[in-house]
Amino acid sequence: MLEPVVAKGQLTETDRFIFESWGYFVIPNVLSKEEAAEAYDVSQRLHESRDREFGQIGRTYESEPALERLIDHPDVLPKVQGLLGDRFVLQAGWNTMQPAHAGNGGWHQDGSSAFDFKDLGYPVPLIQLRVSYLLTDQTVPGMGNMELIPGSHRSRVPLPDSIRQSKGDIGIGHVICAEAGSALVFHNGVWHRTFRHDGDYDRFTTHYVYSPPWVRAADRFGNDPEFLERTTPLRRALMGEFARPDAPFGANYEPLPI
Ligand SMILES: O=C(O)CCC(=O)C(=O)O
């Protein structure tokens, strides 16, 4: 089986080649089974107040230490730094629930319907680098896996409407099979969807989106002052709370304190 699996830590030249070619890679064993189970329990509690249907809750890292830790996970952040450079922010964090026995989600690219990233130029630039932590085992298809189309961030043409409208399959769809605790890292331009979930339990995956520092946050209008007060200098900087020496984005500012 072809699998874009890479090791934890620094982005190697091979990791970069895989990312450039496929638009994503998977890092196994980032969270221990216990850490993944703890994050699962937290996610379950957070989603209890919603209807039991597919949905996402933003900025859960502010209130939940088990999810806050993932903002700058030491096995993963070096990959983000390798791909985005020394100055980037956490543009959003979403915790997603897919209920038991749910079907496929819709195919899409990440971005903004207010201003489509593809209108910025070709190839679609890397504006949102997503890290998705799998909190359940997704070792075979049909476990609420993510499905991605390798290399589709470089496609000049969109996924055909016929496939999108019917939520149909495509022969080059790659259903990511990985254990709980793995992290999937992917480019906003890659066409993807949530694959069906045949299990009797709800599936939770928690997502962190990193962007250049001039991109506006998508999960919040402002940061929670109490969270900023008690979190670490690195996480504060990742929340966009860095000091700018003069006009906003007019000049350089200190790199992240990594
Ligand atoms: O299934 C998920 O957790 C993520 C769904 C998705 O593709 C998205 O949020 O863009």
Side-chain angles (χ1 to χ4, degrees):
M1 266 302 266
L2 287 174
E3 292 298 343
V5 169
V6 306
K8 305 170 187 186
Q10 295 298 317
L11 186 84
T12 66
E13 284 181 0
T14 309
D15 297 350
R16 189 186 295 283
F17 182 76
I18 293 172
F19 185 83
E20 287 297 322
S21 304
W22 283 45
Y24 58 95
F25 50 66
V26 176
I27 317 172
N29 302 316
V30 173
L31 306 183
S32 66
K33 293 290 172 223
E34 294 71 32
E35 288 170 326
E38 184 189 2
Y40 182 98
D41 291 346
V42 166
S43 308
Q44 200 169 35
R45 171 165 50 73
L46 291 170
H47 283 263
E48 251 162 25
S49 50
R50 307 174 36 245
D51 288 343
R52 202 152 160 261
E53 59 188 30
F54 184 95
Q56 306 190 299
I57 304 179
R59 60 197 301 187
T60 51
Y61 48 81
E62 283 179 344
S63 55
E64 301 295 339
L67 302 179
E68 177 185 339
R69 280 197 280 279
L70 306 187
I71 292 177
D72 57 352
H73 196 291
D75 293 345
V76 176
L77 206 69
K79 304 281 192 223
V80 178
Q81 188 180 15
L83 292 167
L84 289 182
D86 294 337
R87 296 175 179 84
F88 57 89
V89 292
L90 182 77
Q91 192 249 355
W94 304 105
N95 185 289
T96 306
M97 187 262 243
Q98 183 191 29
H101 301 287
N104 294 333
W107 287 109
H108 62 282
Q109 293 171 298
D110 284 343
S112 161
S113 51
F115 195 129
D116 203 317
F117 291 177
K118 75 172 168 13
D119 294 336
L120 295 169
Y122 176 83
V124 179
L126 178 60
I127 305 283
Q128 293 180 327
L129 178 65
R130 191 182 334 171
V131 180
S132 303
Y133 291 91
L134 313 188
L135 304 184
T136 55
D137 277 332
Q138 299 172 20
T139 47
V140 293
M143 298 181 84
N145 324 58
M146 297 289 287
E147 182 177 8
L148 287 79
I149 303 180
S152 54
H153 58 314
R154 304 278 193 225
S155 174
R156 284 188 188 271
V157 295
L159 189 66
D161 276 349
S162 54
I163 295 182
R164 295 182 65 189
Q165 276 155 19
S166 67
K167 294 196 177 174
D169 295 333
I170 182 165
I172 53 172
H174 176 216
V175 178
I176 304 290
C177 292
E179 294 195 12
S182 304
L184 163 69
V185 179
F186 70 101
H187 187 299
N188 47 268
V190 177
W191 285 88
H192 63 278
R193 67 173 171 180
T194 310
F195 197 64
R196 62 163 219 283
H197 177 35
D198 303 332
D200 294 333
Y201 52 90
D202 297 333
R203 187 228 66 178
F204 296 95
T205 298
T206 198
H207 308 270
Y208 296 78
V209 179
Y210 302 87
S211 295
W214 32 262
V215 177
R216 213 170 160 179
D219 62 349
R220 58 196 187 274
F221 288 109
N223 293 318
D224 173 13
E226 283 173 29
F227 172 65
L228 292 180
E229 179 68 26
R230 73 179 157 70
T231 197
T232 65
L234 174 55
R235 291 177 191 162
R236 261 196 297 281
L238 283 168
M239 300 308 292
E241 300 285 338
F242 45 78
R244 296 192 292 250
D246 55 10
F249 318 122
N252 227 334
Y253 68 93
E254 288 296 307
L256 286 164
I258 293 179

